[in-house]
Amino acid sequence: MVAVAVPPRFEVVPHRLRPLRTPRPEPAPLRRAGAPAACRRRESAATYRRRRIVAAGLLAAVALLALAGVRTLVGAPGGPAMRPIAAQVVVVRPGQTLWSIAVAHDPPHTPLLAFVDRLEVETHGRPLQVGQQLVLP
């Protein structure tokens, strides 16, 4: 007798080979968009709670990023004051006043009174002291 190797997809029948029948899977039922509520699966309350927590967290993160961006653009209050790099510094000598300093260092195209007012803002309204360093605006 002779042994014959037959692939496993075929069944041996006397005098012929025929393919095995495999059951076909049944198609899933089609759902319409407007299916009745009884057909839809309802999520639990915990699922809704998790979704709300995630949504609130995302909203808070976006708000914080927006606030940080605005603070960066506008500048943080109480932060270091920005001064020009090439500022002129004057050391106050005996007998000098804000007005005499403004007359000596009057910038072009600036009214003298406005320059004195800016010097007063620079000193925070305090009286000048001899040896004080004054940054001209």
Side-chain angles (χ1 to χ4, degrees):
M1 196 179 290
V2 176
V4 178
V6 180
R9 291 185 324 170
F10 294 94
E11 101 183 274
V12 178
V13 180
H15 307 297
R16 62 185 171 151
L17 295 176
R18 107 183 136 153
L20 290 174
R21 291 188 179 177
T22 56
R24 289 186 182 180
E26 292 187 22
L30 296 177
R31 281 191 165 175
R32 291 182 293 146
C39 295
R40 288 190 222 135
R41 196 174 120 211
R42 185 175 173 98
E43 279 101 13
S44 66
T47 302
Y48 286 118
R49 191 177 321 115
R50 280 193 302 266
R51 285 181 184 171
R52 287 185 190 123
I53 290 171
V54 168
L58 289 174
L59 187 63
V62 168
L64 287 175
L65 287 175
L67 180 66
V70 168
R71 278 190 94 182
T72 302
L73 290 176
V74 174
M82 298 193 52
R83 297 187 184 266
I85 295 173
Q88 187 176 2
V89 179
V90 175
V91 178
V92 179
R93 292 178 291 186
Q96 278 189 321
T97 62
L98 289 177
W99 192 266
S100 64
I101 293 172
V103 169
H105 301 284
D106 184 26
H109 309 296
T110 303
L112 193 59
L113 188 57
F115 189 65
V116 171
D117 287 340
R118 283 193 280 168
L119 283 175
E120 189 173 15
V121 168
E122 184 68 34
T123 60
H124 304 292
R126 297 185 187 122
L128 293 177
Q129 296 181 357
V130 177
Q132 177 182 356
Q133 292 185 350
L134 187 62
V135 179
L136 297 180

